[in-house]
Every structure is written in C-alpha cells, then in structure tokens.
C-alpha cells in the first residue's frame, strides 16, 4: 500500500474527482477526511461497502468560509494528530462569462471558492507540515490554468492563480520536506457542468472549437490514480509544478 496510515484531507469530495481520490487513498491505506458542503453525500461515501484498508471520516465544510477551513483542519488534527496530505480540490465553473459579461458577484464567488480556499487551507496546514518536516499539498488546477480558452474569464483566472500558488508554495518549503503539486485535468466526466446558468454563448462557441481538436473525456477514477502517485513517495522529486492530465488535448 502506497499511503498506509497517511492522514489526508480532500476538499470537494462529495462527487467527481474528489470522491474518487478519497476512495483511492482509503484503498491505499490512508485515513481520509472528506469535506464538502453536502454532509449526506459524504456520509454515503463513509458507509460504502468497499474494501478499504484505510478509513474515511466526513466533515461538512464550505471552503469559501475561513471558519470552515479552520474547523476542517482542527478536527482532522484532533482525530488523527497530523496532516500528511492536503488535496485542495473543491472548485466551480463560472457560466463561461467573458471579460464583457462577467459580473462582480460571479467573479468574487469564483475567487472565494477556487482561490481563497487553496490559500487558506495551505496557510493552515503548512505550519503543521513544517513541524512534521513532511507533507504534500495537491491542488486541482485545470488546463484552464495553463491555457486561455478552456473556461470563462474567471475560471481561467482562478486556475492560473492556483498554478501560481503551487509554484510559490512548492519552492518555498522544498528544503523542509514539503511538496506542492498541481494537477491540470482536461475533460473529466463529473457533475461540474450541471448547474451552469445562462452560459455566455459567445464564449461557449469559441471554447467548443477547442473540443473539435480533441474530444476525449476521462473518468474521475482514472484521474485518481495520478493523485495517488503524486501523493506517494514515488513522486518525491515532483514539486512546484503542475502536471497536465488531458490525454494529449492541449498538445494540439
Ligand atoms: P464536481 O462538481 O463533481 O465536484 C466539485 C466538488 O467541489 C463537489 O464535491 C462540490 O460539492 C465541491 N464544492 C463546490 N463548491 C464548494 C464549496 N463552496 N465548499 C465546499 N465544497 C464545494 O466537479 P469535479 O469535476 O470533480 O471538480 C473538481 C475539481 O476539478 C474542480 O476544482 C474543477 O475545477 C477541477 N477540474 C474539473 C475538470 C472536469 O472536466 N470535470 C477539468 C479540470 C479541472
């Protein structure tokens, strides 16, 4: 087992990528604290009849709230005494708004959920990891964090911010045994697009041209294998960078 007894926190674990990462970690022997707003969905995960070598514990957290982030980390430490791996995964889309159609409300919400949460959770766990002299922070970015037309303006801006934070944190604590790595998925089959309201069709039209060059979509289960590798000691020399996992989409 590659993550035996590692204490992990996975945000946005009620569905999609986060859910599968949490399950994969628990199968590798980790003690996984799963967080998201919907506790009932997290409880389903805890009660799953899967063959887990590790365990899963659920905490309701809205990552856009500072107090919830504090609670998530404090309760993890109360229960397990440390944090070895933090996966900053919770994230939302922006209805594909352009620089013309973006509203202040959408912009602010996007930054609270996709960026502030990553900064705050990292700020909270890093002092613990520095004391431990070990730790891994994995940030779910996106190909939209490295390319322009893979989402709306705010989505692309927030994911570029995640890629930037990954570099800064990775470099800052490299000599203290702490790694920070981003994952930039391409298209993954999840719930993320289900609640999009009034998409900006102009942006969507331009964005869909990119899909014409490549239409392959992967599953969150497949992607979770990369998260296991990056959290494990096999990836000890991968730090301060963002790994593209898009099946070749952005190579075009
Ligand atoms: P998803 O909608 O299935 O999962 C998102 C998770 O984040 C859910 O558990 C949701 O409840 C949680 N979440 C959203 N807002 C939250 C909040 N305020 N507080 C706490 N939890 C919150 O979608 P997904 O595709 O699994 O997305 C996970 C991550 O992957 C996101 O950061 C997303 O930007 C990124 N991503 C997804 C794709 C894709 O194609 N699906 C591609 C690139 C990057």
């Amino acid at each position: 087992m590659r993550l035996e007894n590692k204490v992990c926190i996975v945000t946005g674990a009620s569905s999609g990528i986060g859910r599968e990462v949490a399950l994969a970690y628990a199968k590798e022997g980790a003690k996984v604290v799963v967080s998201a707003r919907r506790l009932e969905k997290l409880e389903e995960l805890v009660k799953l009849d899967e063959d887990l070598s590790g365990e899963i514990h659920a905490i309701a957290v809205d990552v856009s709230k500072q107090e919830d982030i504090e609670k998530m980390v404090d309760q993890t430490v109360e229960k397990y005494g440390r944090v070895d791996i933090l996966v900053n995964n919770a994230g939302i889309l922006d209805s594909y708004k352009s620089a013309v159609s973006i509203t202040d409300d959408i912009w602010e919400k996007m930054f609270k959920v996709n960026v502030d949460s990553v900064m705050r959770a990292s700020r909270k766990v890093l002092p613990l990891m520095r004391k431990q002299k070990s730790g891994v922070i994995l940030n779910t970015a996106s190909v939209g964090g490295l390319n322009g037309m893979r989402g709306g303006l705010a989505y692309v801006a927030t994911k570029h911010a995640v890629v930037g934070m990954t570099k800064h944190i990775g470099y800052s604590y490299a000599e203290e045994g702490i790694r920070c790595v981003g994952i930039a998925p391409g298209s993954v089959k999840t719930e993320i697009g289900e609640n999009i309201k009034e998409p900006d069709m102009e942006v969507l039209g331009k964005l869909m041209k990119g899909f014409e060059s490549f239409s392959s979509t992967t599953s969150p289960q497949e992607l979770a294998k990369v998260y296991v590798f990056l959290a494990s000691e096999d990836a000890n020399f991968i730090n301060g960078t963002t790994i593209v996992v898009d099946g070749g989409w952005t190579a075009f």
Side-chain angles (χ1 to χ4, degrees), residues 12 14-15 17 37 61-63 89 91 140-141 155 159 186 188 190 192:
S14 62
S15 65
I17 298 166
R37 287 159 305 172
V61 170
D62 180 342
V63 293
N89 169 73
T140 303
Y155 188 74
K159 293 302 187 180
V188 191
T190 69
I192 197 158

Side-chain angles (χ1 to χ4, degrees), residues 67-92:
E67 62 273 24
D68 279 23
I69 301 258
E70 297 277 322
K71 179 183 79 177
M72 174 178 81
V73 178
D74 287 342
Q75 288 188 6
T76 302
V77 174
E78 269 164 40
K79 189 164 172 66
Y80 296 117
R82 56 191 288 123
V83 179
D84 296 300
I85 298 156
L86 165 68
V87 183
N88 286 311
N89 169 73
I92 51 172

